Amino acid sequence: MGWNSWNTFGCKVDERLIRQMADAMVASGMKEAGYEYINIDDCWHGGRDADGFIQADPKAFPSGMKALADYVHGKGLKLGIYSDAGNTTCAGRPGSRGHEYQDALTYARWGIDYVKYDWCDTKGLDPASAYTTMRDAIHRAGRPMLFSICEWGDNKPWEWAKDVGHAWRTTGDIYPCWNCEHSHGSWSSLGVLPILDKQARLRQYAGPGHWNDMDMLEVGNGMSEDEDRAHFSLWAMLASPLIAGNDLRTMSEATRRILTHRDMIAIHQDALGIQAMKWLDEGDIEVYVKPLERGEYALLLLNRGDLARDHRVDWSFHEMKDDLSGRSIDFGRERFAWRDIWSGGTGNTATAFATSIPAHGVVVLRLSPR
């Protein structure tokens, strides 16, 4: 859980901004809610010195990265940084190709805690080998760093990256819209639903310490409140990293409430680390279920459509069986109490559950054995 500069600021990053975001993460209650990483994305780079060691841009980061890391650590937070497996980053700054061990050592000396590693300008490279090289370099540097593989899912990293990185991107970049594709010519950014749909059949690869990454959050970046709530809930249910991408200094109270929603974060942070599965598909209405500790479950009802929908779950009609977790429910024999995570409503599975789901919205229940 953390924050990243790219979605809102792109290349317009400097040390003043990063310090302000660390301050805002504490003041907003996000740190208390579990967020810990302040991540600088592309464009922090200066050149390399005569020995090949990367330098921070002296104009944007005049105090240096070590001083910035010390400031962030002083807030009880961690600092992340960005590089690329190729010769240049996606914004044309120096990449790490041929300098992996130097860069990892530099990051360790600066006090970096998180490395996002991109995949631009990588002609001729094998992704598994390139990411393994940087993994080994980080290990050699001697400082624990979360290693985030940003390869966009093009080479199925879920099949080879479990022992390489802590998380791997499963799609291209996100865009702040519900159901759209935003073309950039040779590639496209995707909205919430297209990214969600690309997660089919990937849950078997995720678990504690190795996560499917659906890209950073767009909460507070222009979608409706219902869409933001659904976006946040889906990412939490599917155990994707929760990396905010908005301006923490100026976010609305509605955005702050979504990002710091303790009950939804508790579902995301459940120690079992099981990614939710799509349990029921009824066209515009989909139901996802996530097994939790102590025999509990989280249940999310998604309305993909453009109109609000009344929906009824007749518990006794459905049986839930999850081969991945080995968990199952026969609602005809077992009873659960439920609590609506967002509205606070309560009830139990002895009677059918009837609700209205907003357009582009969700209802999330937490089920506890009775």
Side-chain angles (χ1 to χ4, degrees), residues 41-97:
D41 209 280
D42 207 345
C43 303
W44 61 265
H45 315 71
R48 293 189 179 276
D49 67 16
D51 295 318
F53 286 93
I54 191 68
Q55 308 295 304
D57 183 332
K59 293 183 179 179
F61 298 89
S63 302
M65 285 296 179
K66 178 64 168 63
L68 185 56
D70 289 346
Y71 183 88
V72 171
H73 293 157
K75 295 288 180 177
L77 302 170
K78 298 177 180 179
L79 186 66
I81 213 163
Y82 165 101
S83 190
D84 190 287
N87 292 307
T88 57
T89 70
C90 296
R93 307 302 172 94
S96 289
R97 187 172 186 175

Side-chain angles (χ1 to χ4, degrees), residues 85-108:
N87 292 307
T88 57
T89 70
C90 296
R93 307 302 172 94
S96 289
R97 187 172 186 175
H99 296 274
E100 294 88 353
Y101 284 82
Q102 282 183 305
D103 287 357
L105 180 60
T106 298
Y107 303 156

